[in-house]
Amino acid sequence: SYESTDLQSTLNDVLDTFSEAISEYNIEITVIALPTISAIPFLIEQLFTNLISNAIKYRSKEKQAKITIESNKVHGKQIPHNFIKTHAYYHRIKVKDNGIGFKEEDSEKVFRLFKRLHDKEEYSGTGLGLAICHKIVMKHKGFIYATSVPDKGSIFTIYLPSGRLHPLLKNP
């Protein structure tokens, strides 16, 4: 069920999980102002886990990996994307990396089940991670999309409602 979820603390737990890889690959992590939201905590943890895992997996071998997670509050009217906006305000959370990225035309594909953009030999995984992220964000009445430039990095932008999330009420 939905409960007050401190994203900062949830992300810290996720970063702890990856602490070995973060120090082994000398990854620079920057976290800026994450809010507390109404959410299902273990799903939000899974969302961050999948995004951070990808940022580590698809890091560049040529330069120091940097991952930035930041958030700000925006009005629903400021969101250009077409999804059903249930709230006036949303938290816009961005997870940015400077990894290998992908072609812009693949930005829709990355959220499909079992769609892999990179060579299976070089990058392990099921192709489920981002599809799961998409499902989690939808369950929270939000929206997620990706932008990327090959060899420059990717940005995953997530909009999650600000304020309480209620189960949808049935009309009498």
Side-chain angles (χ1 to χ4, degrees):
S1 67
Y2 296 101
E3 54 190 77
S4 183
T5 306
D6 178 350
L7 296 187
Q8 186 71 58
S9 155
T10 305
L11 180 64
N12 288 344
D13 290 347
V14 169
L15 293 175
D16 277 352
T17 309
F18 291 110
S19 61
E20 234 170 80
I22 290 168
S23 77
E24 183 185 335
Y25 303 123
N26 188 27
I27 299 170
E28 186 183 303
I29 308 271
T30 308
V31 182
I32 304 162
L34 291 182
T36 294
I37 65 166
S38 175
I40 300 170
F42 84 92
L43 288 180
I44 295 299
E45 188 172 328
Q46 201 177 9
L47 174 70
F48 280 143
T49 298
N50 288 339
L51 291 172
I52 299 297
S53 165
N54 275 1
I56 293 171
K57 187 193 300 184
Y58 299 114
R59 70 190 182 285
S60 166
K61 309 282 187 274
E62 278 79 60
K63 56 189 178 227
Q64 184 192 10
K66 293 179 189 255
I67 303 170
T68 304
I69 303 101
E70 60 186 33
S71 170
N72 63 337
K73 204 171 182 180
V74 295
H75 195 281
K77 290 188 171 77
Q78 292 172 278
I79 303 172
H81 305 279
N82 207 359
F83 67 101
I84 295 165
K85 298 181 179 87
T86 53
H87 288 63
Y89 288 93
Y90 285 78
H91 295 285
R92 177 173 50 205
I93 299 153
K94 290 188 175 199
V95 178
K96 305 183 202 181
D97 66 59
N98 65 344
I100 62 169
F102 54 85
K103 293 194 222 67
E104 197 63 45
E105 62 262 28
D106 290 330
S107 62
E108 295 286 307
K109 262 189 227 148
V110 296
F111 296 107
R112 290 200 208 126
L113 277 174
F114 309 118
K115 268 287 172 226
R116 301 183 50 97
L117 302 182
H118 299 290
D119 184 11
K120 224 196 245 80
E121 301 305 304
E122 201 177 342
Y123 297 97
S124 65
T126 57
L128 278 172
L130 291 175
I132 290 169
C133 289
H134 184 261
K135 271 197 162 9
I136 291 170
V137 172
M138 293 296 117
K139 185 163 182 60
H140 287 84
K141 312 280 183 271
F143 187 76
I144 183 171
Y145 71 99
T147 52
S148 187
V149 177
D151 301 322
K152 293 264 187 272
S154 305
I155 301 174
F156 288 88
T157 303
I158 304 154
Y159 290 100
L160 291 172
S162 172
R164 305 248 337 240
L165 277 176
H166 307 281
L168 288 176
L169 299 172
K170 296 211 167 43
N171 289 329

